[in-house]
């Protein structure tokens, strides 16, 4: 009954556990408000920068932080997670937005939400824990490299009519465009980056994102005095409201309910059809997989910081619901953001209320500060994403793994990183997991060995060996081939299986094949069989064969019956 309750899906579980099962006092509310405001200050510029990086106007990033932030906080299973647009999605969302427009991106987001809900209902939450660290480090570092490369154009103000899709072509095109560098954009980007790097050294409670943007905007004012033309949100983006009102930058209105395929400003050529949905399905699956991995990794990190426990399947369902609802308000793909969630904990958050406050601050910003946000320079937004990419790369962990981890893990890391950069994340994760599994099986198979016992006699009458390790398909064939060579000429073979934890179908087949090969010349005795191998033998109806195959509880009992010990 207890196991059933643990596995049961409960909507609103984090909110109920934090605010109803535990007394929610005014003191806790005050802490949550302070934490929510702190995270909101971080989220507002990041949401806009991530939307721009994903190929859509900045307001859609704010809509995501506002709507998804509230819905996932209320319905999810992690009480400290703060959800919204994240850097990891940029490399997936950008190609979709370029090919299918905003409507296609929103429909892919909705589809990914359905997949996430299905994953949660299927209890896939715990399976994410089986993805090796070499795979997660590999693809997150690869994504960080891709994101950093995508920021070079706006950071230096390069003139590029078209940005190629493939990474190698993109690097070549950026190199060719370097002579067009804009000194004004570069100074703004460097100033913003400098403040972001050195602000934490001041040990102030205020996050560095807002001061860095202010410094970058101040530098823009200076370079404008020298008549440098720099790109801003207002100069690069415009909007058209349903009532016909148009403007530059970000519209000063709250998110409106609109069907994703009818989103204003979306690609007019977009048509919702089965073929379009089929074309978007791989991207939707990629979004769901990455969202599941990132949200659950975030929840695990927060558990370590707070001592609380998240509910993984509830979190997947909550993330799914958030990504189903958000596209109807213009929001792009969302998941739990590790950096913002960690800042939430460090700011003193006690419940999902802090994430709700963070979203309400984003909504307030849309209403009050939208005209001012249009003056933000794109070079400063690129500097923000460069820092995000650096933090996401976890370079120190990568270096530490390369220096100290086994060679197999290093191979998986490098392969996942390379495939993510050169192809895409889904290919990288799929091949990385398969390769890591194969290398793990090889490592385990090499641990399975046979050793001779002192009971073996020298006149080729009795061979006593101990099998140590699992007898599965990757090891059993080698073990029994080795035993076949060792046992030539012996009348009796006693095998001690007390250290054989697993016997699978491959091991069973190899064992039966070994029996058939030696049964005319040798009597085989198996002793000390653990429960799982014994169950496998019983299900296969492997029974004693007089003069050929016998089973004993111990070697001692077998030797006594052979009258070798008096």
């Amino acid at each position: 009954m207890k196991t059933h309750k643990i596995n049961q899906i409960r909507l609103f579980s984090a909110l109920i556990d934090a605010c109803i099962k535990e007394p929610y006092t005014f003191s806790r509310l005050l802490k949550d408000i302070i934490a929510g405001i702190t995270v909101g200050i971080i989220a507002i510029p990041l949401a806009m920068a991530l939307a721009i990086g994903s190929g859509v106007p900045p307001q859609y990033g704010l809509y995501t932080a506002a709507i998804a932030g509230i819905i996932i906080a209320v319905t999810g299973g992690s009480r400290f997670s703060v959800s919204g647009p994240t850097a990891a999605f940029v490399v997936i969302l950008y190609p979709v937005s370029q090919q299918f427009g905003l409507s296609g991106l929103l429909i892919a987001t909705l589809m990914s939400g359905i997949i996430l809900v299905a994953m949660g209902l299927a209890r896939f939450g715990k399976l994410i824990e089986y993805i090796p660290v070499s795979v997660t480090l590999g693809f997150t570092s690869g994504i960080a490299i891709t994101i950093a490369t995508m920021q070079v154009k706006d950071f230096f103000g390069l003139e590029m009519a078209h940005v190629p899709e493939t990474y190698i072509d993109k690097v070549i095109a950026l190199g060719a465009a370097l002579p067009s560098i804009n000194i004004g954009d570069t100074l703004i980007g460097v100033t913003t980056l400098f403040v972001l790097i050195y602000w934490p050294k001041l040990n102030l409670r205020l996050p560095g994102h807002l001061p860095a943007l202010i410094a970058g905007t101040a530098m823009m004012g200076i370079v404008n005095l020298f008549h440098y033309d720099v790109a801003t949100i207002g100069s690069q983006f415009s909007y058209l409201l349903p009532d016909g009102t148009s403007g530059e930058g970000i519209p000063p209105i709250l998110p409106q309910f609109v069907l994703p395929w009818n989103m204003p400003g979306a690609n007019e050529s977009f048509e919702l059809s089965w073929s379009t949905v089929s074309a978007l399905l791989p991207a939707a699956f990629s979004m769901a997989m990455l969202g599941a991995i990132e949200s659950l990794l975030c929840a695990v990190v927060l558990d370590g910081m707070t001592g609380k426990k998240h509910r993984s399947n509830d979190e997947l369902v909550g993330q799914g619901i958030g990504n189903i609802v958000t596209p109807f308000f213009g929001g792009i793909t969302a998941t739990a953001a590790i950096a913002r969630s960690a800042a939430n904990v460090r700011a003193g958050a006690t419940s999902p209320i802090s994430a709700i406050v963070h979203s309400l601050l984003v909504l307030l910003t849309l209403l009050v500060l939208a005209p001012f946000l249009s003056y933000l320079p794109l070079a400063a937004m690129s500097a923000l994403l460069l820092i995000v990419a650096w933090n996401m790369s976890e370079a120190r962990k990568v270096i530490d793994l390369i220096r100290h981890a086994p060679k197999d893990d290093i191979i998986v890391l490098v392969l996942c990183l390379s495939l993510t950069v050169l192809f895409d994340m889904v290919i990288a994760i799929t091949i990385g997991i398969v390769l890591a599994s194969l290398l793990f099986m090889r490592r385990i198979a090499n641990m399975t060995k046979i050793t001779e016992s002192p009971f073996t006699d020298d006149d080729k009458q009795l061979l006593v060996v101990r099998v140590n390790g699992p007898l599965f398909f990757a090891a059993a064939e080698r073990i029994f081939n080795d035993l076949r060579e060792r046992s030539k000429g012996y009348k009796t073979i006693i095998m001690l299986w007390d250290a054989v934890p697993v016997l699978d179908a491959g091991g069973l087949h190899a064992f039966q094949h070994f029996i058939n090969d030696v049964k005319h010349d040798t009597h085989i005795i198996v002793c000390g069989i653990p429960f799982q191998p014994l169950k496998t033998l019983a299900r296969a109806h492997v029974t004693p064969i007089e003069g050929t195959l016998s089973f004993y509880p111990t070697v001692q009992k077998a030797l006594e019956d052979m009258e070798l010990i008096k």
Side-chain angles (χ1 to χ4, degrees):
M1 191 71 174
K2 186 177 180 180
T3 303
H4 173 73
K5 288 183 178 180
I6 291 174
N7 291 328
Q8 186 178 8
I9 302 296
R10 287 197 301 127
L11 283 178
F12 320 110
S13 61
L15 190 66
I16 292 171
D17 292 343
C19 299
I20 297 178
K21 291 187 176 181
E22 298 177 10
Y24 193 72
T25 62
F26 179 76
S27 173
R28 288 184 63 194
L29 174 61
L30 189 61
K31 289 181 179 179
D32 283 335
I33 291 174
I34 294 171
I37 293 173
T38 303
V39 178
I41 293 172
I42 299 173
I44 291 166
L46 279 181
M48 293 187 294
L50 292 167
I52 295 170
S54 301
V56 298
Q59 64 265 28
Y60 296 107
L62 295 173
Y63 298 163
T64 308
I67 304 301
I70 292 175
I71 293 173
I72 296 173
V74 171
T75 61
S78 176
R79 65 174 70 187
F80 300 106
S81 291
V82 177
S83 296
T86 62
F89 281 116
V90 168
V91 294
I92 303 175
L93 305 191
Y94 184 81
V96 175
S97 65
Q98 298 305 296
Q99 183 177 355
F100 298 96
L102 176 60
S103 286
L105 180 56
L106 298 184
I107 291 169
T109 298
L110 190 156
M111 293 164 61
S112 73
I114 295 172
I115 296 171
L116 279 167
V117 170
M119 291 172 66
L121 295 177
R123 312 299 197 271
F124 282 179
K126 291 297 181 183
L127 295 182
I128 305 297
E129 298 175 2
Y130 292 97
I131 298 179
V133 66
S134 54
V135 174
T136 57
L137 270 182
F139 81 75
T140 52
S141 298
I143 290 172
I145 292 171
T146 305
I147 292 172
T149 305
M150 292 170 65
Q151 306 317 307
V152 172
K153 175 181 176 294
D154 287 337
F155 188 88
F156 293 106
L158 303 181
E159 295 179 6
M160 295 177 66
H162 172 69
V163 179
E165 291 186 13
T166 62
Y167 184 80
I168 299 298
D169 291 340
K170 194 175 295 180
V171 171
I172 294 172
L174 287 170
L178 278 178
S180 66
I181 187 171
N182 185 311
I183 298 300
D185 284 312
T186 304
L187 287 174
I188 293 168
V190 170
T191 301
T192 308
L193 196 61
F194 179 85
V195 174
L196 286 168
I197 292 172
Y198 286 97
W199 186 265
K201 300 182 186 298
L202 301 177
N203 294 321
L204 300 176
R205 291 183 64 86
L206 179 68
H209 299 72
L210 184 59
L213 283 181
I214 293 173
T217 306
M219 178 56 69
M220 180 180 68
I222 295 173
V223 300
N224 282 341
L225 296 176
F226 294 90
H227 306 291
Y228 282 104
D229 185 24
V230 298
T232 65
I233 288 177
S235 68
Q236 296 296 309
F237 298 99
S238 60
Y239 60 85
L240 177 65
L241 299 180
D243 62 1
T245 305
S246 62
E248 295 180 343
I250 296 174
I253 60 171
L254 295 177
Q256 305 293 306
F257 180 86
V258 182
L259 296 177
W261 45 91
N262 293 331
M263 186 61 60
N267 186 350
E268 295 180 1
S269 63
F270 181 85
E271 291 184 7
L272 182 62
S273 63
W274 179 253
S275 61
T276 308
V277 170
S278 300
L280 288 170
L281 185 58
F285 180 76
S286 302
M287 296 174 191
M289 283 297 298
L290 183 56
I293 292 170
E294 188 164 9
S295 61
L296 295 183
L297 284 178
C298 176
V300 170
V301 170
L302 298 177
D303 287 351
M305 294 177 67
T306 63
K308 303 291 185 180
K309 291 296 180 184
H310 74 283
R311 294 173 61 93
S312 57
N313 295 314
D314 294 357
E315 180 67 4
L316 287 181
V317 172
Q319 292 287 339
I321 293 172
N323 282 283
I324 290 172
V325 175
T326 303
F328 289 92
F329 295 89
I332 59 177
T333 317
T335 189
I338 295 177
R340 272 163 274 171
S341 300
N344 187 40
V345 170
R346 287 193 290 267
T350 70
S351 76
I353 299 298
S354 61
I356 295 173
V357 171
H358 130 275
S359 295
L360 294 176
L361 181 63
V362 174
L363 291 173
L364 181 63
T365 300
L366 277 167
L367 287 177
V368 178
L369 300 178
F372 300 100
L373 296 178
S374 300
Y375 293 103
L376 293 175
L378 292 187
M381 310 303 282
S382 295
L384 279 178
L385 290 187
L386 284 174
I387 287 294
V388 170
W390 169 254
N391 293 332
M392 185 179 181
S393 70
E394 298 193 271
R396 292 182 181 84
K397 289 186 179 180
V398 172
I399 293 171
D400 185 65
L401 189 145
I402 291 173
R403 290 178 59 188
H404 302 114
K407 188 182 296 183
D408 291 353
D409 292 322
I410 297 172
I411 292 171
V412 172
L413 169 71
V414 173
L415 183 66
C416 283
L417 190 154
S418 304
L419 290 175
T420 302
V421 171
L422 299 177
F423 297 99
D424 66 57
M425 185 205 72
V426 175
I427 292 175
I429 292 179
T430 303
I431 294 179
I433 290 176
V434 171
L435 180 61
S437 301
L438 291 174
L439 292 173
F440 174 76
M441 285 187 286
R442 187 187 70 174
R443 194 181 304 169
I444 296 298
N446 289 336
M447 292 173 60
T448 304
K449 300 183 183 300
I450 54 174
T451 54
E452 287 192 22
S453 165
F455 290 115
T456 300
D457 55 33
D458 297 328
D459 59 359
K460 294 287 185 176
Q461 293 297 312
L462 175 65
L463 173 65
V464 182
V465 297
R466 186 171 191 258
V467 183
N468 195 322
L471 285 174
F472 68 116
F473 64 93
E477 213 48 67
R478 174 178 57 83
I479 288 297
F480 286 113
N481 284 338
D482 184 15
L483 187 57
R484 191 177 286 108
E485 292 298 319
R486 291 194 189 195
S487 63
K488 285 182 178 177
Y490 282 96
K491 298 295 184 183
T492 305
I493 304 171
I494 297 179
M495 287 187 285
L496 179 59
W497 280 18
D498 64 330
V500 177
V502 173
L503 175 69
D504 74 348
L508 177 64
H509 174 77
F511 176 58
Q512 291 174 320
H513 190 231
F514 173 71
I515 293 171
N516 290 331
D517 282 351
V518 302
K519 65 182 179 180
H520 299 297
D521 305 311
T522 308
H523 183 198
I524 302 165
I525 300 174
V526 184
C527 305
I529 307 174
F531 176 75
Q532 194 280 336
L534 187 62
K535 183 179 178 182
T536 301
L537 291 171
R539 292 189 65 177
H541 303 293
V542 177
T543 56
I545 304 171
E546 187 176 353
T548 299
L549 177 63
S550 302
F551 297 98
Y552 283 88
T554 63
V555 174
Q556 189 77 14
K557 180 63 177 173
L559 292 174
E560 287 176 356
D561 279 11
M562 293 173 63
E563 298 182 351
L564 292 178
I565 296 180
K566 303 299 182 182

